[in-house]
Amino acid sequence: MIDIQKLADDKGVARSYIDANNVLQHIDGEYRKNALEILGYPVNDQKALEKVLTEQKRATFKNMVDPVTVINDQDFKQFYFRIEESASEDENATVTVVVKLEDGRKIENTVLLSEVEIAQYETFEGVTYDTRRYKLISHFPYGYHELSVSVNSKNVNKKSAVMSLIVTPYKMYLPEEIASGKRVWGVSSQLYSVRSHSNWGIGDFADLKQLLLGVKKCGGEFVGLNPMHAGYPYDPNSVSPYSPSSRNYINIVYISVNDVPELLNCPQAQELIHSEQFQQKLRVLREKEYVDYRGVLECKLEALRCIFDNVKVDDKRSNRGLKFLDFVEQGGEDLQNFATYDALMKHFHDEGKFVNSWEQFPSEYHDIHSPFVKAWAKEHEADVKFFCYLQFLASEQLTAAYKAAKEAGMLIGTYRDLAVGVAKQSCDVWGDVAKVFRTKGSIGCPPDPLGPLGQNWGLAPMSPEALKQNAYKPLIRMYKSNMKSCGAMRIDHAAGLYRLWLTRVGDPASKGAYVHYDLHDLLSILSLESHRNKCLLICEDLGTIPVELTKALRAYGALSYKTFFDGVAEDGGFIAPKDYIAEAMSALTTHDMPTLVGWWNYYDLSLGQQLGIYKPEEAQALQNARAVAKQRILDSMHGLGSIADTYPRNVADAKMDDVLSTAMQVHLCSGSCYLFSSQVEDWIGVDKPVNIPGTLDEYPNWRRKLTKDLEDIFEDKKVLAMTKAMTEARNS
């Protein structure tokens, strides 16, 4: 009889954890069993489970080596291989190791098997195996290499195996200027919320370029973005950037149609766009308080398809056509699969069917390898190519914005945000060739004071074991995709590098368990990619974060994330920003918090009552606690000289005006963190939040726009005075 709880231990399912209140919580054995079921183990069928575990074990010894070994600068340079014990009885037995480097070079070494240390013995199906520790004597460059090992002994058939050898730096990339003491500020922006005179009702990549250059002129060195991940063009209700269709591709809603080069050569599209009817649609979309994703996408897709249908975008006789064809070739099968998914969505939409998941496709299209899918893609080649073209445009425009910022002298430029996962209905799950996603489970978090019932995010987890079996290739590809065209990347819910809270689909979040991932391997790979892409890494380590992860992030050089309102000391006062750790990005507010005006004036609490989030007595208790916090903030700012002596000292007399808003920005800018991230909302006094965690239909999350056009913001004297003060504080 297999001990399920022992098996859960072996597969990385936690027995307990320290919660947000620093209290040890034990995880119910049934929930741990559920976690195994999510990971793919038939826990309710002992015979089937025994068969799965036996096959796994058999494969382990048959393969001789693990699928991957990750070595960083701090590790011993070694790997392990398994061979029948009888091989050692041949005193002339040899082992040959060949490392094929990423650049094509080969390094080979042959030694006697007896010279390779035995680390342990293990018997399986009547055969005893030696696990030997092979010490690599050569110095390998950083990169993704292929290692093959073969044993030649008269006592066993010649054995050979291949593994991925990933060699990485230990410390993550850090710009020299920051390492030398420079402290910088920038802006975090929800790109879709940006208004401008020329966009089509949603912030786009042309706005991003303008925003980057505007921030640079004001003294800022970066613009942080919401995740740019691909969404669902034919399901405008699925708009959360943190629940994407693919983390490998870009959301086409941000394409600036006005900046598409092919538009100049397409009179049909020009006529369409400049028609009075179309222009009226754009005026209405621009004037709306909230982003109308459906209206925006309909206009953009109509115009872009008009361009595509009337201009030969893959013309081999033009540099532009060759550039597109090269993009398609580089994208390979993955890009074709992604484009096929969106083309299928369009197909069913055009038939009048609402389909927002591959699970709603006819059954013959559920499997990406199905001959029906291949035949459909061939039959609808133009539609598939169209969605490849949209990705080409999105990638090109995002790159152009980043390039313009760097050419203007911006130290970091764009920083992108990496969501913790993808939805079950996503293209990434449908196109999961490596079979790393587990659709029976959902990622979330356990109960805490902010969410007494826990949270369930509806994101499909990846199997830690499957990731290793695939040498982390799906993750590596995703990291590479998201470190393009940016100088920094923020990892949302960085706890996922160490462990994820998983519940079965349909179960409440409270009935979950933590499943561990290989922190060493993931951080080492991130370190390699950060150097290759010259990309600073910021890890969102708020909430229930285990001490092991905190220590590892510091050791590897990842930047922490510090929010001012969470920086409460033991005495109830607020920690001085100069006492924050340097290796971090600080912020006053984030997209999951009320704006500065909203927080100070309790707008979030009154809104929470309207939406049924808080009972009146709960909202009043929170307001009372916040009133105390506001006074302590004011005391701290006066004590540290962050605000003029003439400003009121009693919080009852302090209004969230330009003076206080600027002083709070300067207060954080005077701190020790490498980076300080402001928010455009707080520059112009926006009161409504962009997102209210825990709500779905109750509030228009991810739709609220800014209250001023981008062009006007950078001409606002108050904004210019604020950013000038911020720059002076950082430089001092």
Side-chain angles (χ1 to χ4, degrees):
M1 190 86 171
I2 296 170
D3 184 335
I4 295 295
Q5 298 307 312
K6 177 64 169 61
L7 177 61
D9 292 338
D10 293 343
K11 301 305 178 182
V13 183
R15 286 183 177 264
S16 62
Y17 66 96
I18 304 295
D19 71 9
N21 293 319
N22 206 32
V23 175
L24 178 66
Q25 298 288 346
H26 294 281
I27 300 173
D28 189 286
E30 191 65 23
Y31 305 160
R32 302 181 75 232
K33 180 181 176 182
N34 293 345
L36 285 174
E37 184 182 354
I38 291 168
L39 294 175
Y41 292 96
V43 290
N44 296 312
D45 185 333
Q46 278 284 320
K47 286 187 177 180
L49 183 59
E50 287 176 4
K51 182 179 179 182
V52 167
L53 296 176
T54 299
E55 288 176 351
Q56 282 186 351
K57 196 90 168 180
R58 187 175 293 129
T60 295
F61 290 107
K62 179 182 178 182
N63 293 338
M64 208 164 120
V65 293
D66 293 333
V68 61
T69 293
V70 182
I71 299 174
N72 67 44
D73 292 333
Q74 297 288 321
D75 296 325
F76 292 112
K77 308 303 184 284
Q78 60 190 25
F79 72 94
Y80 295 88
F81 68 91
R82 295 165 288 273
I83 191 69
E84 290 96 325
E85 183 185 38
S86 58
S88 1
E89 297 170 3
D90 176 6
E91 61 182 20
N92 295 316
T94 59
V95 55
T96 299
V97 173
V98 179
V99 177
K100 182 180 179 182
L101 300 178
E102 196 174 21
D103 62 12
R105 290 179 294 150
K106 287 187 179 180
I107 298 175
E108 183 174 337
N109 188 46
T110 300
V111 297
L112 289 171
L113 182 62
S114 58
E115 294 177 1
V116 183
E117 175 189 3
I118 298 176
Q120 69 174 36
Y121 299 97
E122 193 169 357
T123 300
F124 176 69
E125 294 184 333
V127 178
T128 300
Y129 294 85
D130 298 337
T131 296
R132 293 183 178 258
R133 181 187 295 110
Y134 186 99
K135 296 180 181 178
L136 297 162
I137 59 174
S138 298
H139 175 75
F140 299 110
Y142 299 140
Y144 302 100
H145 313 305
E146 181 184 278
L147 183 150
S148 63
V149 55
S150 58
V151 174
N152 191 3
S153 168
K154 65 183 181 182
N155 294 334
V156 296
N157 293 327
K158 187 170 183 178
K159 287 291 189 89
S160 63
V162 177
M163 71 184 301
S164 175
L165 176 66
I166 304 175
V167 183
T168 82
Y170 182 55
K171 288 287 187 180
M172 294 180 183
Y173 172 77
L174 185 67
E176 290 183 13
E177 294 89 340
I178 292 177
S180 300
K182 186 176 178 63
R183 300 292 181 264
V184 301
W185 69 265
V187 162
S188 294
S189 171
Q190 305 294 307
L191 185 55
Y192 52 82
S193 73
V194 173
R195 292 179 182 269
S196 71
H197 299 343
S198 60
N199 74 31
W200 288 20
I202 192 170
D204 58 29
F205 290 130
D207 293 330
L208 173 60
K209 182 177 178 180
Q210 187 177 354
L211 178 60
L212 283 159
L213 297 178
V215 168
K216 175 57 182 173
K217 287 181 180 178
C218 289
E221 298 291 353
F222 63 85
V223 169
L225 301 173
N226 54 280
M228 292 287 99
H229 308 321
Y232 301 85
Y234 297 96
D235 180 15
N237 293 319
S238 298
V239 300
S240 171
Y242 293 93
S243 185
S245 177
S246 176
R247 291 189 290 177
N248 296 314
Y249 294 100
I250 301 171
N251 197 327
I252 60 175
V253 77
Y254 298 118
I255 294 173
S256 170
V257 180
N258 297 333
D259 291 338
V260 173
E262 285 74 27
L263 178 59
L264 296 173
N265 302 318
C266 187
Q268 298 91 336
Q270 292 179 35
E271 182 179 353
L272 169 69
I273 293 169
H274 293 130
S275 68
E276 180 54 36
Q277 184 181 11
F278 201 91
Q279 285 297 309
Q280 178 59 22
K281 287 182 183 178
L282 298 186
R283 283 192 291 270
V284 170
L285 290 170
R286 272 195 290 268
E287 290 167 3
K288 287 189 176 184
E289 182 181 5
Y290 296 98
V291 176
D292 177 355
Y293 284 91
R294 182 183 300 277
V296 170
L297 282 163
E298 285 177 354
C299 285
K300 291 197 175 187
L301 288 170
E302 183 182 6
L304 290 166
R305 188 61 193 238
C306 183
I307 292 171
F308 179 82
D309 287 342
N310 290 284
V311 177
K312 188 171 174 54
V313 300
D314 57 352
D315 189 347
K316 294 180 180 179
R317 297 169 299 176
S318 69
N319 289 333
R320 180 81 180 155
L322 290 173
K323 188 177 180 182
F324 170 59
L325 288 170
D326 182 63
F327 177 84
V328 172
E329 183 179 354
Q330 293 296 320
E333 184 180 4
D334 292 328
L335 176 59
Q336 293 297 320
N337 290 342
F338 173 78
T340 299
Y341 189 71
D342 275 0
L344 273 165
M345 289 288 192
K346 175 186 181 299
H347 172 73
F348 294 118
H349 175 269
D350 291 347
E351 288 186 342
K353 300 173 184 175
F354 176 72
V355 173
N356 68 347
S357 171
W358 56 270
E359 297 166 300
Q360 296 170 337
F361 292 169
S363 59
E364 61 266 29
Y365 299 134
H366 283 192
D367 184 354
I368 194 170
H369 292 302
S370 161
F372 295 99
V373 172
K374 302 298 181 187
W376 187 94
K378 186 175 182 180
E379 183 181 348
H380 297 82
E381 183 180 358
D383 286 340
V384 173
K385 187 182 295 182
F386 173 60
F387 286 100
C388 290
Y389 175 63
L390 295 185
Q391 282 303 308
F392 170 66
L393 294 176
S395 176
E396 180 179 61
Q397 291 190 359
L398 178 57
T399 299
Y402 174 64
K403 185 177 179 181
K406 297 300 288 183
E407 288 174 350
M410 220 170 192
L411 179 59
I412 296 172
T414 314
Y415 96 61
R416 294 177 65 176
D417 202 349
L418 178 65
V420 68
V422 293
K424 181 184 177 184
Q425 70 267 26
S426 66
C427 174
D428 280 358
V429 173
W430 182 70
D432 181 20
V433 176
K435 302 300 180 188
V436 298
F437 286 102
R438 296 293 179 260
T439 56
K440 289 185 178 180
S442 174
I443 300 170
C445 63
D448 61 28
L450 294 178
L453 300 178
Q455 294 183 43
N456 191 321
W457 302 328
L459 304 174
M462 288 180 167
S463 158
E465 207 159 33
L467 283 172
K468 280 199 172 187
Q469 289 297 322
N470 286 277
Y472 299 110
K473 288 177 183 176
L475 272 183
I476 293 166
R477 176 169 167 259
M478 188 259 295
Y479 291 152
K480 287 180 176 180
S481 297
N482 285 273
M483 289 192 203
K484 288 179 180 176
S485 309
C486 65
M489 184 177 78
R490 174 187 174 273
I491 300 177
D492 187 53
H493 191 64
L497 296 169
Y498 179 66
R499 67 185 188 188
L500 285 174
W501 183 260
L502 305 187
T503 54
R504 289 187 306 185
V505 171
D507 282 355
S510 57
K511 294 186 176 182
Y514 275 118
V515 172
H516 286 89
Y517 291 73
D518 196 315
L519 181 63
H520 165 276
D521 287 4
L522 299 189
L523 287 179
S524 296
I525 291 168
L526 278 167
S527 183
L528 173 59
E529 289 302 327
S530 79
H531 280 275
R532 291 195 158 184
N533 293 279
K534 296 191 181 304
C535 184
L536 185 70
L537 289 182
I538 303 158
C539 289
E540 190 263 298
D541 52 354
L542 306 174
T544 308
I545 301 296
V547 65
E548 298 92 338
L549 175 61
T550 300
K551 289 180 178 178
L553 292 175
R554 302 296 165 273
Y556 278 81
L559 267 59
S560 182
Y561 197 64
K562 301 294 180 185
T563 53
F564 178 65
F565 295 126
D566 289 329
V568 181
E570 291 184 4
D571 64 357
F574 281 77
I575 299 170
K578 65 181 178 61
D579 292 330
Y580 290 179
I581 62 170
E583 299 82 5
M585 180 176 77
S586 61
L588 278 169
T589 56
T590 74
H591 62 264
D592 282 333
M593 296 170 62
T595 63
L596 198 53
V597 168
W599 189 90
W600 194 267
N601 294 305
Y602 314 113
Y603 292 157
D604 60 311
L605 301 182
S606 58
L607 181 59
Q609 284 190 77
Q610 294 173 29
L611 300 177
I613 298 172
Y614 304 121
K615 296 176 181 178
E617 59 272 20
E618 293 173 331
Q620 187 59 55
L622 289 169
Q623 182 167 325
N624 294 341
R626 188 173 297 177
V628 174
K630 285 164 59 177
Q631 184 62 61
R632 300 302 294 267
I633 289 171
L634 205 57
D635 294 343
S636 177
M637 291 175 66
H638 272 295
L640 294 171
S642 298
I643 197 166
D645 287 340
T646 54
Y647 195 81
R649 292 178 177 270
N650 189 324
V651 75
D653 302 320
K655 308 300 179 187
M656 183 47 67
D657 54 16
D658 296 326
V659 175
L660 181 55
S661 177
T662 298
M664 292 186 75
Q665 305 282 348
V666 169
H667 187 60
L668 268 290
C669 279
S670 301
S672 59
C673 293
Y674 289 162
L675 313 180
F676 167 65
S677 179
S678 186
Q679 288 207 119
V680 179
E681 285 88 340
D682 296 334
W683 291 5
I684 58 177
V686 176
D687 56 359
K688 293 180 180 178
V690 73
N691 174 50
I692 300 180
T695 63
L696 186 61
D697 299 322
E698 301 90 337
Y699 183 80
N701 293 323
W702 317 115
R703 291 175 171 87
R704 192 267 291 134
K705 296 183 187 179
L706 297 177
T707 53
K708 282 189 175 182
D709 284 353
L710 196 56
E711 295 87 347
D712 300 330
I713 291 173
F714 290 110
E715 293 181 359
D716 188 319
K717 291 182 180 179
K718 295 175 183 177
V719 169
L720 297 177
M722 176 188 287
T723 54
K724 183 173 184 283
M726 289 163 59
T727 303
E728 289 172 351
R730 290 264 77 183
N731 290 341
S732 67

